[in-house]
Amino acid sequence: MSKGSSAYASPNTIKQSIGLIGAGRMGTGIGISLLRRQCELYIKANRNRCGADRLTRAGAREHTSIAELAQHVGVVILSLPSSREVEAVCLEQDGLFVHMSQGGLIIDCTTSYPASTIALAKTAEKLGLSFIDAPVTRSPEQAELGLLNAMVGSDPKLFPIVERILAAFCETVMHAGDVGDGHKLKLVYNSMTMGIAAVAAEVCQFANSLEMDLVTLRSLVGRGSTNSGIFQAFAAFLLGEKPDVLAISIANSAKDIECAVRLARESAVSVPVLGAAAEKLNLSVAAGKGELTLPHLARS
């Protein structure tokens, strides 16, 4: 796997027409950064009006259909919940694969499943389109500040073009390898994040059951190699210092680690600890806590 990275503290303006499908919290942050870089932004109407309304007020042009959006752009960025939505946006009769002009570029910033990504890229190539994966890490707030990290799976010749676009909303753009490798890397990364989250949640509950002072525990953990940003975020949440920290939902977290465990099984890799973490998250979803943010996992 070839690797390289580029950091951009102040990306150049992008005077280019770009489509954005998925005006959720992360997509809205991405869109705001693109508009700040003087991009001509076209968005697809969203059922949740919050992000779409904010982007249109900032200068984006909204369209009611993907077909209509595709007529105005040669590049489309996807920021969607999962591979299922990405496949629908690309493959349906109203989709990008039918309506984008040859030479078009689709950049998938969704946390998608690698096998789906690779299959979509092969179909796109037959149609004269390029489909690449560029999942991102960090928060919607950091997306708006242009401080995300992207892991790109693409042909090396295409990477410089993609890199320049992503630099509008990313601090670091890493070439992970071929198409699909960005999503593989993101799932491995997310599996570690959610695995640590599951352990940190149980530790917080354990400490609470023993009537231990969480401030003292946090201070101790912060002084050793056991320290992690996840644990510190959970502690800050439980202490009421940062109620909005780690705003990803438990349901989305469960989806991500389940995808990682599935990928490991398909690759004949044994991951019993990650499997246990996935089970903990799934049980929390089954208990009706799926829409709560990840730090709620730490509450007894």
Side-chain angles (χ1 to χ4, degrees):
M1 184 185 294
S2 62
K3 295 180 181 177
S5 66
S6 297
Y8 290 84
S10 179
N12 295 326
T13 57
I14 298 182
K15 295 184 178 179
Q16 182 176 0
S17 298
I18 295 178
L20 173 66
I21 300 177
R25 293 187 68 240
M26 185 66 82
T28 299
I30 289 171
I32 291 295
S33 277
L34 286 166
L35 288 166
R36 189 172 61 249
R37 302 301 174 192
Q38 300 182 24
C39 166
E40 192 171 283
L41 187 66
Y42 296 82
I43 64 171
K44 165 71 169 60
N46 232 40
R47 280 178 296 180
N48 184 338
R49 294 300 314 168
C50 183
D53 288 344
R54 187 172 174 215
L55 289 171
T56 53
R57 285 195 301 269
R61 303 179 187 184
E62 185 175 7
H63 296 283
T64 57
S65 72
I66 294 171
E68 186 180 326
L69 178 147
Q71 294 174 13
H72 297 275
V73 297
V75 176
V76 175
I77 294 170
L78 307 181
S79 181
L80 296 164
S82 71
S83 290
R84 181 179 303 153
E85 289 79 10
V86 172
E87 290 170 0
V89 161
C90 290
L91 298 173
E92 288 183 356
Q93 190 58 39
D94 183 47
L96 293 173
F97 284 7
V98 175
H99 296 284
M100 278 194 83
S101 299
Q102 285 197 0
L105 170 64
I106 301 167
I107 302 173
D108 184 18
C109 293
T110 309
T111 301
S112 296
Y113 201 69
S116 172
T117 301
I118 293 167
L120 286 171
K122 289 179 179 177
T123 302
E125 186 176 12
K126 293 175 184 176
L127 298 170
L129 302 171
S130 296
F131 183 96
I132 67 100
D133 46 321
V136 294
T137 65
R138 294 185 170 173
S139 68
E141 292 74 22
Q142 288 169 311
E144 190 168 330
L145 295 171
L147 297 175
L148 296 181
N149 298 317
M151 297 148 277
V152 180
S154 73
D155 183 293
K157 294 179 181 178
L158 194 58
F159 177 67
I161 299 169
V162 176
E163 182 181 38
R164 182 171 178 273
I165 296 167
L166 293 174
F169 53 89
C170 293
E171 180 181 38
T172 302
V173 182
M174 174 183 294
H175 189 217
D178 296 330
V179 170
D181 286 341
H183 280 140
K184 290 176 185 177
L185 182 57
K186 178 67 186 295
L187 288 181
V188 170
Y189 174 87
N190 276 8
S191 71
M192 181 164 61
T193 300
M194 303 314 166
I196 292 170
V199 172
E202 288 194 356
V203 165
C204 290
Q205 293 165 349
F206 186 25
N208 183 61
S209 71
L210 297 175
E211 298 183 348
M212 291 177 57
D213 179 38
L214 185 56
V215 173
T216 303
L217 176 61
R218 177 173 65 175
S219 177
L220 177 64
V221 171
R223 286 169 166 76
S225 58
T226 305
N227 191 31
S228 76
I230 296 290
F231 172 80
Q232 294 295 339
F234 279 16
F237 172 81
L238 293 172
L239 292 166
E241 297 169 356
K242 295 181 178 180
D244 298 324
V245 72
L246 294 178
I248 183 175
S249 71
I250 292 174
N252 202 28
S253 302
K255 181 266 295 182
D256 285 357
I257 194 168
E258 194 66 46
C259 282
V261 171
R262 174 185 163 194
L263 180 62
R265 287 173 182 158
E266 290 177 357
S267 305
V269 178
S270 177
V271 288
V273 175
L274 295 180
E279 183 179 2
K280 179 176 179 64
L281 284 157
N282 284 328
L283 287 173
S284 189
V285 172
K289 299 178 181 178
E291 296 311 308
L292 298 176
T293 58
L294 188 60
H296 284 83
L297 200 67
R299 284 200 163 143
S300 299

